[in-house]
Amino acid sequence: ELETLYTYGLVRRIVDSIANECTRELTTLKLGAELEVDENDILPPFDEYLKQTYFHHALSEVVKYQRLYGGAGLLLLCDDGLPPDEPVDETKLRAVVDYIPLSRYELIPEDVTITDYSRPEFYRITTSQRLTDQQTASYTNLRVHRSRVARFDGLWLPWHVRSRNNGWGQSVIASIYYALRKYWTAQDGLVEIAQDADLFVHKIPGLFQRVAAGNESDLKKRLEANSLSRSVYGGLAIDTEEDVSYLNRSLAGLKDALDPFLQEIAMALGWPVSILTGESPGGMGKEGRFEERQWAHIVESWQQNYMLKPVTQVFDLILKSKEGPLGGRQLQSWSVDFPSVFVETNKEKADLRQQMAQVDAQYVQLGVLNPLEV
């Protein structure tokens, strides 16, 4: 049902927008301030490694699975010489060869416990897609250890609901499904109203007397003749006493009739309506900058709450791999860096520089700093 819903444009927008925005600015490393290393020796080769292994493409795809299905994972093809149902041996890890995005329906936990539902010991991969170029079988049924899976969980659920869900979370679409159904029902109603906006009226003298006299068959023939004449030459053949006209219904306010239903969807998502519809906001939004900041907050919240843990797991294995970007060199202080998705305008940047210049000038006048330090 979710896959059918995904073919609908609004649902696709809800699922894809966050995933696309999360990967628009490429995720990378953030080094600790106490590290006495040159960033140019670490970040460029690391970013190039992610680019060469198509990490960001896989990340975008797995987040779409995560939001649509309520859970997904990256199967990490780790070259450590061990079978997939064994834990990754970090001392023998040569490289993380690839990342395979899988939905929660292809990645089934074998044991789910209430102590830590997100860390089953093993997953059973059941999928018809090929996991590697060397695979010859048309179907995969594989047992893998949890250390080889970066788990992207769905929306939080209470334990009793999650236990019926194989330990996975909730789909984003499931959380707004009832609001979507009301929106679609309202749309269907508006379509019917628009189709009946023009009512065709044919005035026939003595109509009710003919019906009362039992001449329904003659009337039926008359109406069939009308239909035939309209289809043959696009007009009507009527008597001089007959009259034809259209009754036009007013459609004023029809455009605003869907607003309450869109607002309910937006409230369930926690999105501004302008982001949901793609319309440019007006009024107090100040050319949409408030909505843009709110949207950036929504995206960054998803990154921190639903992406940080699995991406950290992937980066940790990449850094420890001997044939990786750093050759297995250990970094004692680092974190995942999700660049901000909010882009300042040139005017905002200029205003910020002006404010900083004013503060610096005051520091110089008070003798707190000298011009060289500024």
Side-chain angles (χ1 to χ4, degrees):
E1 187 173 5
L2 286 171
E3 290 164 358
T4 302
L5 290 171
Y6 187 63
T7 62
Y8 182 60
L10 181 60
V11 174
R12 177 182 285 270
R13 179 180 180 85
I14 292 169
V15 171
D16 290 2
S17 294
I18 294 288
N20 294 335
E21 198 69 26
C22 285
T23 53
R24 179 170 60 86
E25 298 292 337
L26 302 183
T27 305
T28 184
L29 281 180
K30 182 178 182 181
L31 303 180
E34 65 274 13
L35 286 181
E36 296 181 358
V37 295
D38 188 353
E39 289 188 353
N40 295 325
D41 294 335
I42 295 177
L43 296 185
F46 185 82
D47 292 341
E48 182 63 22
Y49 185 87
L50 296 181
K51 178 181 177 181
Q52 294 297 328
T53 55
Y54 297 99
F55 168 76
H56 296 103
H57 176 78
L59 181 62
S60 176
E61 187 172 338
V62 78
V63 173
K64 291 174 184 177
Y65 282 152
Q66 175 192 27
R67 291 178 57 79
L68 178 62
Y69 293 111
L74 284 178
L75 173 61
L76 307 177
L77 302 187
C78 298
D79 183 8
D80 62 347
L82 295 177
D85 58 349
E86 293 288 334
V88 175
D89 189 342
E90 297 177 355
T91 63
K92 299 178 180 178
L93 180 61
R94 289 185 289 273
V96 179
V97 180
D98 204 353
Y99 332 89
I100 311 297
L102 297 171
S103 75
R104 52 151 290 195
Y105 294 104
E106 300 169 298
L107 194 61
I108 303 173
E110 285 202 348
D111 49 340
V112 180
T113 64
I114 194 171
T115 54
D116 193 349
Y117 59 82
S118 66
R119 289 180 60 82
E121 191 68 19
F122 298 98
Y123 290 92
R124 174 68 62 175
I125 296 176
T126 58
T127 178
S128 57
Q129 68 167 300
R130 296 172 61 197
L131 300 184
T132 66
D133 296 335
Q134 293 76 28
Q135 179 178 332
T136 58
S138 59
Y139 192 83
T140 300
N141 185 11
L142 185 67
R143 190 172 189 245
V144 297
H145 191 264
R146 69 185 182 195
S147 60
R148 300 176 188 271
V149 175
R151 178 187 176 113
F152 290 74
D153 217 333
L155 298 179
W156 184 87
L157 285 175
W159 165 248
H160 293 292
V161 182
R162 187 181 289 273
S163 63
R164 299 194 298 267
N165 216 22
N166 274 340
W168 292 104
Q170 185 185 46
S171 165
V172 171
I173 305 307
S175 66
I176 62 169
Y177 181 61
Y178 293 107
L180 277 172
R181 285 206 315 184
K182 287 192 283 185
Y183 174 71
W184 290 329
T185 301
Q187 272 191 325
D188 292 339
L190 292 184
V191 170
E192 292 183 7
I193 292 175
Q195 289 176 342
D196 295 337
D198 292 329
L199 182 63
F200 177 68
V201 180
H202 184 188
K203 298 178 182 178
I204 302 176
L207 173 63
F208 290 107
Q209 288 84 351
R210 295 186 190 183
V211 174
N215 295 327
E216 292 92 344
S217 60
D218 293 339
L219 179 62
K220 182 179 179 182
K221 291 179 181 178
R222 181 71 184 86
L223 298 180
E224 289 175 347
N226 275 354
S227 178
L228 180 61
S229 63
R230 291 185 69 183
S231 63
V232 172
Y233 61 90
L236 289 177
I238 61 175
D239 201 320
T240 55
E241 298 179 353
E242 296 179 319
D243 185 26
V244 174
S245 62
Y246 283 91
L247 291 180
N248 295 319
R249 297 178 180 178
S250 174
L251 298 181
L254 190 65
K255 177 180 178 298
D256 301 328
L258 289 176
D259 287 352
F261 303 98
L262 280 173
Q263 288 173 356
E264 184 176 358
I265 296 175
M267 286 188 294
L269 285 171
W271 291 15
V273 176
S274 59
I275 297 296
L276 180 64
T277 61
E279 296 179 355
S280 177
M284 297 180 65
K286 198 177 181 180
E287 299 179 353
R289 298 304 284 172
F290 170 76
E291 287 79 2
E292 288 182 23
R293 287 185 173 88
Q294 192 173 3
W295 173 245
H297 173 74
I298 293 169
V299 174
E300 291 167 4
S301 176
W302 186 270
Q303 290 173 327
Q304 293 297 321
N305 294 324
Y306 294 98
M307 294 173 58
L308 179 61
K309 184 177 178 181
V311 173
T312 301
Q313 178 186 348
V314 177
F315 281 11
D316 183 59
L317 290 177
I318 291 175
L319 290 173
K320 291 177 179 177
S321 57
K322 295 179 175 57
E323 297 177 6
L326 303 185
R329 175 184 176 185
Q330 298 297 307
L331 297 178
Q332 299 302 320
S333 178
W334 62 272
S335 60
V336 175
D337 180 27
F338 295 112
S340 175
V341 298
F342 181 75
V343 180
E344 292 183 322
T345 64
N346 291 334
K347 183 178 185 304
E348 289 171 335
K349 293 178 181 178
D351 291 342
L352 180 60
R353 287 197 299 269
Q354 183 179 8
Q355 293 172 6
M356 293 174 63
Q358 292 174 350
V359 172
D360 290 340
Q362 291 178 347
Y363 279 147
V364 171
Q365 292 175 0
L366 296 174
V368 177
L369 299 173
N370 60 49
L372 183 60
E373 289 173 321
V374 169

